[in-house]
């Protein structure tokens, strides 16, 4: 896997039936190591270890449903009353962050109505705060520390 624009951490890798697996701290199990998962695991460790996000308020692979359609949020941060506060969407490093990616996360937010959206491909990271009064999002210069949310 390629180096990312995220701090390194102690990665736990294993092989199972010829497949490379990476340990997911939030799901507490090894999962298939894909380029997107490589980004997810680095980003989760960045949020917890460098930005002070509580591990117990983060969840990976959250299922949502709109009518008959099932969707999957990559990561959600909840507040202390367990209301969704932030949606994080990951892409593989080879995938450019485009309007299509923001359209995808906006669909998730249609259901969850969070305060913050983050999109990352491990190289580029975009964070925005929702402005529901004006029906838009405002891009932030950096990903906020948990204490400043």
């Amino acid at each position: 896997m390629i180096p990312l624009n995220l701090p390194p951490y102690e990665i736990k890798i294993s092989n199972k039936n010829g497949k490379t697996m990476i340990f997911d701290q939030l799901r507490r199990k090894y999962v298939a190591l894909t380029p997107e998962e490589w980004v997810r695991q680095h980003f989760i460790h960045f949020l917890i270890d460098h930005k002070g996000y509580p591990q117990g308020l983060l969840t990976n692979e959250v299922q949502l449903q709109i009518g008959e359609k099932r969707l999957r949020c990559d990561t959600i941060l909840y507040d202390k009353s367990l209301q969704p506060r932030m949606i994080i969407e990951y892409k593989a490093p080879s995938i450019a962050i485009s309007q299509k990616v923001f359209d995808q996360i906006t669909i998730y937010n249609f259901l969850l109505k969070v305060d913050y959206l983050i999109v990352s491909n491990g190289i580029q990271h975009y964070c925005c705060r929702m402005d529901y009064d004006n029906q838009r999002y405002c891009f932030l210069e950096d990903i906020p520390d948990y204490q400043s949310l």
Side-chain angles (χ1 to χ4, degrees):
M1 293 287 162
I2 69 168
L4 301 175
N5 186 17
L6 291 162
Y9 75 99
E10 189 176 324
I11 302 164
K12 295 180 183 175
I13 302 282
S14 77
N15 285 301
K16 183 177 182 182
N17 300 327
K19 282 187 95 171
T20 304
M21 311 289 280
I22 189 167
F23 188 75
D24 182 330
Q25 179 176 341
L26 300 183
R27 290 179 273 183
R28 296 184 180 96
K29 66 179 185 178
Y30 283 90
V31 296
L33 177 55
T34 63
E36 182 178 311
E37 196 63 47
W38 181 249
V39 173
R40 180 196 332 260
Q41 295 310 315
H42 277 79
F43 206 89
I44 288 296
H45 283 272
F46 166 67
L47 291 177
I48 294 168
D49 298 340
H50 298 271
K51 293 291 184 173
Y53 286 56
Q55 179 177 330
L57 297 178
L58 290 162
T59 306
N60 283 337
E61 298 286 325
V62 178
Q63 294 287 331
L64 301 175
Q65 191 164 342
I66 297 179
E68 296 297 314
K69 188 171 184 174
R70 291 179 184 228
L71 305 170
R72 178 193 51 81
C73 279
D74 288 336
T75 302
I76 295 178
L77 170 71
Y78 295 90
D79 65 18
K80 291 179 182 173
S81 61
L82 301 182
Q83 295 302 307
R85 187 84 199 276
M86 177 184 285
I87 302 170
I88 308 165
E89 178 67 22
Y90 310 105
K91 296 297 177 192
S94 61
I95 305 294
I97 304 298
S98 65
Q99 184 61 47
K100 184 178 176 182
V101 176
F102 279 96
D103 293 345
Q104 177 184 359
I105 201 170
T106 300
I107 291 169
Y108 302 155
N109 197 37
F110 179 74
L111 294 172
L112 298 176
K113 306 248 186 303
V114 299
D115 297 324
Y116 296 91
L117 303 175
I118 295 178
V119 176
S120 176
N121 64 4
I123 309 299
Q124 295 178 301
H125 324 293
Y126 296 96
C127 181
C128 51
R129 181 169 173 76
M130 296 305 299
D131 177 357
Y132 290 105
D133 292 337
N134 296 304
Q135 297 184 352
R136 65 186 183 102
Y137 37 80
C138 304
F139 284 92
L140 305 178
E141 289 195 25
D142 195 11
I143 294 160
D145 291 336
Y146 180 75
Q147 294 302 325
S148 64
L149 294 180

